[in-house]
Structure formats: C-alpha cells, structure tokens
Amino acid sequence: MRGWTAVLFIMPIFLAAFYQSRNTISLLHRWPPSSPAVLLNSLISPFNIRIYRTMSTFTHPNYAVPITLPEGLSQEQLLEFHPFRSWISTLENSLGLQAQNRSHPFHQDPYVLRSVTIQSFDLFGGKRLGFLKLLAEVTNSAGEKLPGSVFLRGPSVAMLVILIPEDAPVDTDERYVVLTVQPRIPAGSLEFVELPAGMVDEEGQFVGTAAKEIEEELGLKIPTSELKCLSEMADISPKSDDGKIQDGNLPRAMYPSAGGCDEYIPIYMHERRVPRDTLSDWTGRLTGLREHGEKISLKLIKMQDLWREGARDAKSLAAVALWESLRREGKL
C-alpha cells in the first residue's frame, strides 16, 4: 500500500515535468541531472514553486530605514562597505533637498526611502565585499515609485596620459594618448579599447589610486602632485533657476550609467615630454597585474583621434570633452 501511495504522489510531478519538456529527446538529453538542486528545481518548476534563501532585516542606525539582507551577508559587512555607506548618505541628502528647496520639482509631495533589500552580493578573494545588487523602495505619499534597482560597486578613476615628443615646439599640437586594450567580459569583448582606469580602494584615495594605476598599467611613475583632476577643474555642479546648487553633495565626476549603477569616475590627466624614438615602444606593450587576471596591452594614438578610437568608452569621450573645453577656457 505504501508503494502505491508513493507512486500516486510522484507520478503527477513526473508527468508535469515531462509535459514541460519540448519533447522526449530533450528530456533524455538533460538526464541525469547535474546536481540534486537541478533535479529539485526541475520537479517543482511546473508548479511555479520558488525556494528563497533565509533573509534577515535590521533598521539602519542613522536613517531608520529597514534593510533586508540575504543569507551569508552580515549587518556589519554591509555597514562597513564604503560604496553602500556613500550611496545611502548621498541619496538621503538628495531626498532632503525636496523639502529645503521650494523650487524643487518634488517639493509638494516629496519622495522617501522606505526600505532597502539586498538581493545578491559578490566577495573579492572570498572575504572582502566587492559588489552589491539591491532594490530600493522610494515612494511619495501618493504611492508613486521611483526606479530603485541598483548595482553598487563604488567609484573608479580614469587617467588621460598625454605624451609629447621632446623635439616638438612648445606650442605644438602633436600629442599622443596611451589607451589600454583588454578583455571586458561584461561588454562581451576581449579587446576593449579604453582609457586606463581602476577601482578606488576602501579608503577612497583617488589621486593615489590614479598614480598607482598609471604605474601598473603604463609603467610610468608619476608623483601625485603632477596629476591634474579635470573633473575638479570643471564647474559641473548644476544650478537651479534661483542660483542654488542642485545635488551639491554629488562628487565632481562622470557617471557612466546613473540609471542602474552608483559608479562615478573622476578623470585625471598627466602630460609629459618623452624622446620621440621611444613612442613606438608603447604600442603593443603587455602590462597589468597577471595575478589579478589583468591581460592588458597598450595602444598609442594621436590626441586628435581619441574621440574616434575611444568612441565606445565613456571615459574617453568625457576626457576629450573636458580637456578641449578646459583648454578653450584657458585653464590648461
């Protein structure tokens, strides 16, 4: 009797899973399953059953916002993660401008951060928190929502390194820019051409990171005092009609994908004269930290061609715009 009970219980599940398959051949091709988890998901998928990982919730100590964490991520890890601290602080400051500024478009019915749900996370080296995917619920009293799907990774720096031949005249326009060519799997490319760039460390040392990246990727040792931040030199803080700075707490930097990611990139510049016969040595040079999976080759191009060669790279286009505009205004 027990045997028939088991058959009656299992048979509907098996038939539903079988029906879900396109044909018998495709079902057999997937058998045996690669793991018990795959088998379980195959059996329960016809019934739209979803199994969620254990989650916990705590209230943010500074902003009284409920935050839900996935299994494996602690409250301490999250609150110590600099990109998260910076993001929630910047967002709360921006939300506060609604009430402070009567000309703000949302002044009459301001939006509020209601909750944050951490959906997934990546650890660097198996220990250090590296990336976060979260969902922020931001609504007003009318129940209107703002898009709140966010990928947190923190800031980076980009470096515009300009080389001038030593024998060129002082007022020359003959300039060359060093680009990197490397695999960028998120872009689906193994030969992505871009300005040298790197993630900022947890201490937020932008200038130091820029100098370090230039040495690692280009082989140039440059004192931090010789680096110019083009983003800081440009007055990029937008102003409202009454002259007040809007979102003045945002960093002076370029946001390559503000619709879904917190990353912002200040652009630094270094210009130096080098022997003409060494310019050709830059193209094709292999650099990068191989132990970090960096497989970088260098490419030397004329400054006037940067907008074309780096057209797919937001850092290159921003660097061109800043460099040309600052020169036009006599700031470079």
Side-chain angles (χ1 to χ4, degrees):
M1 187 64 182
R2 291 181 179 177
W4 282 108
T5 301
V7 169
L8 292 175
F9 176 76
I10 295 175
M11 185 58 70
I13 299 177
F14 176 81
L15 290 176
F18 186 83
Y19 179 77
Q20 286 287 98
S21 64
R22 293 176 180 270
N23 52 57
T24 305
I25 300 298
S26 64
L27 179 63
L28 293 176
H29 282 172
R30 295 194 298 270
W31 190 268
S34 58
S35 69
V38 173
L39 175 60
L40 178 61
N41 287 331
S42 298
L43 292 176
I44 66 177
S45 61
F47 304 100
N48 294 320
I49 300 175
R50 297 181 180 180
I51 298 179
Y52 292 93
R53 300 170 67 184
T54 303
M55 306 188 84
S56 59
T57 301
F58 73 96
T59 300
H60 194 283
N62 297 332
Y63 304 110
V65 175
I67 299 176
T68 301
L69 301 174
E71 181 182 355
L73 180 63
S74 68
Q75 175 179 337
E76 291 73 21
Q77 283 178 301
L78 180 67
L79 295 181
E80 291 175 0
F81 186 45
H82 185 269
F84 179 78
R85 297 202 313 269
S86 176
W87 168 78
I88 195 169
S89 172
T90 302
L91 177 58
E92 288 288 359
N93 284 335
S94 295
L95 292 172
L97 294 177
Q98 300 171 106
Q100 299 172 16
N101 188 354
R102 291 183 176 275
S103 63
H104 196 287
F106 305 142
H107 177 74
Q108 296 298 325
D109 191 3
Y111 285 88
V112 177
L113 177 61
R114 309 290 181 180
S115 66
V116 175
T117 300
I118 309 299
Q119 298 171 312
S120 62
F121 62 95
D122 286 339
L123 299 177
F124 289 174
K127 297 180 180 179
R128 183 168 64 90
L129 191 57
F131 296 146
L132 279 182
K133 170 65 175 61
L134 62 84
L135 187 63
E137 183 181 3
V138 181
T139 64
N140 60 11
S141 61
E144 298 172 331
K145 291 185 178 182
L146 296 179
S149 184
V150 183
F151 172 57
L152 285 183
R153 54 158 294 155
S156 303
V157 292
M159 286 71 66
L160 175 64
V161 178
I162 301 176
L163 304 177
I164 303 175
E166 282 183 342
D167 58 1
V170 177
D171 58 349
T172 184
D173 285 330
E174 185 181 6
R175 287 175 168 82
Y176 298 88
V177 176
V178 183
L179 299 178
T180 61
V181 183
Q182 61 183 310
R184 289 300 195 191
I185 299 304
S189 173
L190 298 181
E191 296 178 303
F192 196 80
V193 179
E194 60 184 313
L195 281 186
M199 293 181 64
V200 176
D201 58 28
E202 295 180 358
E203 298 178 357
Q205 300 297 324
F206 287 90
V207 179
T209 299
K212 179 181 177 182
E213 289 295 327
I214 289 175
E215 182 176 357
E216 290 178 355
E217 298 191 3
L218 307 183
L220 285 175
K221 291 186 177 181
I222 301 174
T224 57
S225 59
E226 296 183 12
L227 286 171
K228 295 181 179 180
C229 183
L230 301 183
S231 302
E232 287 288 343
M233 295 173 68
D235 184 12
I236 58 176
S237 298
K239 297 180 175 61
S240 60
D241 295 337
D242 57 6
K244 295 182 179 179
I245 295 178
Q246 297 174 324
D247 277 354
N249 59 314
L250 288 179
R252 292 189 175 185
M254 180 267 295
Y255 282 76
S257 187
C261 182
D262 71 313
E263 182 185 24
Y264 60 89
I265 308 175
I267 298 175
Y268 287 84
M269 186 201 81
H270 175 72
E271 185 174 280
R272 69 163 53 181
R273 286 180 174 263
V274 297
R276 184 178 293 275
D277 57 5
T278 64
L279 287 174
S280 59
D281 295 339
W282 290 85
T283 297
R285 181 188 297 179
L286 298 178
T287 65
L289 299 179
R290 298 291 159 153
E291 65 271 20
H292 291 175
E294 297 179 344
K295 303 183 185 301
I296 301 171
S297 61
L298 303 183
K299 183 176 184 178
L300 193 70
I301 65 167
K302 293 181 179 180
M303 180 64 192
Q304 64 193 42
D305 295 331
L306 178 57
W307 69 272
R308 181 184 293 108
E309 294 280 352
R312 291 188 177 91
D313 177 35
K315 302 183 298 295
S316 295
L317 297 179
V320 170
L322 288 171
W323 184 80
E324 290 185 347
S325 299
L326 289 170
R327 287 191 76 199
R328 187 165 55 249
E329 294 188 359
K331 296 181 179 179
L332 281 179

